[in-house]
Amino acid sequence: MLGNGFISKFYFFGETVLLLLYVNFLWVCFTLAGAIIFGFGPSTVAMFTIFRRWSKGEEDIPAFKVFWQTYKKEFKRANGLGLLILLFTYMLYINFNFLQLDNEWMQQTIKNVLIFVSIVFGIMVIYIFPMYVHYDNKLYNYFKNAILITIYSPIRTIYLIAACLTLYYLYFTLPVFLFFFGGSLSSLVIMWITYRTFLRLEIKQERLQETEA
């Protein structure tokens, strides 16, 4: 029994590693196929769609079929989301690096505001793609709901940020992981945590509705 359990877990681990490698390869290829700018959004949505199904406990996921179908279906809408994220990121980058004021106090104040906005935006981005594949909503609502989830689930959000920082440390220390697993491993970890956060919030909402009824 012990041997069978170990073999089963080892087999599951091996399958997960292969899935991570393959999905990361698909993500890179389809992002490049869309000239990066137009491929990033739909490729990332397709990747998170696969790992949402993995987080739900589905086995034998047809990775290429799910990725390709999602990429085609969500191409326009996901590009809208991806371009908004890239545009806002570019604006923050420009302001950080090129904004110069004569007043030193004002310069520092604006810099602190930009740091705060960047942190909030970073948290929003972490939640947005998992929310996109889990809920059907308008693009504006994904940004708004990302903030609401952060407020309603601060402990889970801290847990999520800690996981992302751990991944960053892993990629910085061992860049080979970034090359082979950068997108897919980040997506899997983020989706696994956020999926359970969404389920908890849905259960709380159902209980609240039952209480009000």
Side-chain angles (χ1 to χ4, degrees):
M1 292 293 291
L2 182 61
N4 289 336
F6 174 78
I7 292 173
S8 177
K9 290 179 180 179
F10 184 79
Y11 181 74
F12 175 76
F13 174 78
E15 279 194 325
T16 303
V17 171
L18 289 176
L19 179 64
L20 287 168
L21 280 168
Y22 186 49
V23 172
N24 197 74
F25 174 75
L26 292 175
W27 179 66
V28 171
C29 289
F30 279 89
T31 298
L32 293 175
I36 300 178
I37 294 177
F38 298 106
F40 169 75
S43 292
T44 305
V45 167
M47 179 170 60
F48 271 95
T49 299
I50 290 174
F51 290 120
R52 177 179 179 270
R53 294 177 61 165
W54 185 90
S55 299
K56 292 171 65 178
E58 293 188 29
E59 299 179 358
D60 299 324
I61 301 170
F64 181 81
K65 181 180 179 181
V66 174
F67 197 102
W68 175 235
Q69 288 179 345
T70 306
Y71 187 89
K72 290 190 297 181
K73 179 184 176 184
E74 301 293 338
F75 187 81
K76 290 183 179 179
R77 192 161 179 259
N79 258 312
L81 179 63
L83 289 173
L84 280 174
I85 292 173
L86 291 174
L87 178 62
F88 198 80
T89 302
Y90 178 72
M91 289 171 60
L92 286 172
Y93 172 79
I94 292 296
N95 281 305
F96 261 119
N97 289 276
F98 300 105
L99 181 64
Q100 296 291 333
L101 297 175
D102 294 333
N103 190 310
E104 185 177 345
W105 179 85
M106 184 64 70
Q107 175 82 15
Q108 187 60 42
T109 301
I110 293 178
K111 185 177 180 180
N112 291 336
V113 171
L114 286 172
I115 291 172
F116 175 77
V117 171
S118 298
I119 293 172
V120 173
F121 179 68
I123 295 172
M124 289 170 63
V125 171
I126 293 173
Y127 272 116
I128 280 174
F129 282 106
M131 290 178 62
Y132 185 98
V133 301
H134 190 73
Y135 299 107
D136 183 18
N137 220 324
K138 295 180 179 179
L139 291 183
Y140 165 77
N141 287 330
Y142 291 122
F143 291 91
K144 180 188 70 175
N145 291 339
I147 297 298
L148 293 176
I149 290 177
T150 302
I151 295 172
Y152 287 123
S153 303
I155 303 300
R156 299 287 298 181
T157 299
I158 293 172
Y159 178 36
L160 180 59
I161 293 172
C164 291
L165 291 175
T166 302
L167 287 174
Y168 173 79
Y169 177 77
L170 174 66
Y171 298 149
F172 182 80
T173 307
L174 299 170
V176 67
F177 276 90
L178 179 62
F179 181 77
F180 288 108
F181 303 103
S184 59
L185 180 59
S186 300
S187 174
L188 182 146
V189 171
I190 291 170
M191 191 70 244
W192 191 85
I193 296 172
T194 55
Y195 177 71
R196 279 149 184 79
T197 301
F198 298 156
L199 292 182
R200 290 188 178 193
L201 289 172
E202 289 166 11
I203 291 172
K204 287 181 180 179
Q205 188 174 15
E206 288 176 3
R207 289 176 178 173
L208 182 62
Q209 290 175 349
E210 289 176 359
T211 303
E212 291 177 350

